Amino acid sequence: MPPKKKFTKDQIVDAAFEIAKQEGIDSITIRKVATKLGSSIAPIYVNFNDADELVREVIHKTVELSNHILQENHTGNPFHDMGVASLRFARDYSVLFRDLVWNPNKYVHEYEQEMNPVLLDQMKEDADLQGFSDDELRLILLKMRACTLGLSIMGTSC
């Protein structure tokens, strides 16, 4: 009997990311990832306790990707940079964008928890935003996101 293939944690996350990129985050299953790797489910369970743990790693990889895109577009104007990065992410990763921005699901909060500190740090670099507290910057960010989604927040229009 030939030896079983061994897969690194990163290889497994990459396979799950490809599934999420093409089919959506909710489409990630242990069986689909194993099939993508050409493997049994065993190597996945060696590295992850369950599908949720694997999905959280995919979310983390997506945050890293988002940060990379944001840094590539860094001009010093945070709203411009965030807008350009969001558009690029939406264009290049439309299914993930839909899942993490448009569709409510249990993973959106995790994505925002990891991404918000990066966005707040970038906002703090803007001279026009000097003097705002972190809470005020979070509120501005929330308002900006709501406007992007066409929502009204706190009774005001965008």
Side-chain angles (χ1 to χ4, degrees):
M1 176 183 281
K4 292 182 179 179
K5 285 184 182 178
K6 296 191 190 304
F7 295 96
T8 66
K9 200 170 190 172
D10 286 340
Q11 289 172 314
I12 295 167
V13 171
D14 288 345
F17 178 81
E18 287 301 314
I19 292 167
K21 189 169 84 170
Q22 295 169 3
E23 302 175 35
I25 290 175
D26 290 334
S27 295
I28 297 172
T29 65
I30 299 295
R31 176 114 5 246
K32 276 188 180 179
V33 174
T35 299
K36 185 131 187 100
L37 291 169
S39 169
S40 72
I41 61 174
I44 298 160
Y45 281 114
V46 166
N47 288 283
F48 299 94
N49 292 321
D50 54 30
D52 274 346
E53 183 181 355
L54 175 55
V55 170
R56 283 192 296 281
E57 287 297 317
V58 170
I59 296 295
H60 182 71
K61 179 180 178 77
T62 305
V63 167
E64 289 176 349
L65 174 66
S66 297
N67 286 335
H68 179 75
I69 292 170
L70 189 60
Q71 292 310 308
E72 284 181 346
N73 296 298
H74 188 68
T75 66
N77 181 334
F79 295 112
H80 173 269
D81 297 347
M82 286 182 230
V84 169
S86 294
L87 290 172
R88 183 168 162 220
F89 186 83
R91 181 194 67 207
D92 296 346
Y93 303 93
S94 59
V95 175
L96 281 171
F97 183 81
R98 177 200 67 207
D99 282 355
L100 296 171
V101 176
W102 291 103
N103 293 342
N105 62 57
K106 67 182 183 178
Y107 304 109
V108 169
H109 182 69
E110 283 186 51
Y111 177 76
E112 288 179 349
Q113 272 188 317
E114 278 196 63
M115 199 64 209
N116 280 353
V118 173
L119 298 175
L120 291 177
D121 285 345
Q122 194 160 9
M123 290 170 73
K124 288 176 185 177
E125 293 177 17
D126 189 330
D128 292 334
L129 298 175
Q130 295 299 312
F132 283 95
S133 69
D134 283 0
D135 287 339
E136 290 168 326
L137 291 173
R138 274 189 209 88
L139 188 57
I140 292 168
L141 186 58
L142 179 64
K143 173 92 172 153
M144 185 178 81
R145 283 190 178 148
C147 289
T148 302
L149 296 174
L151 305 173
S152 175
I153 187 167
M154 297 180 9
T156 61
S157 61
C158 299

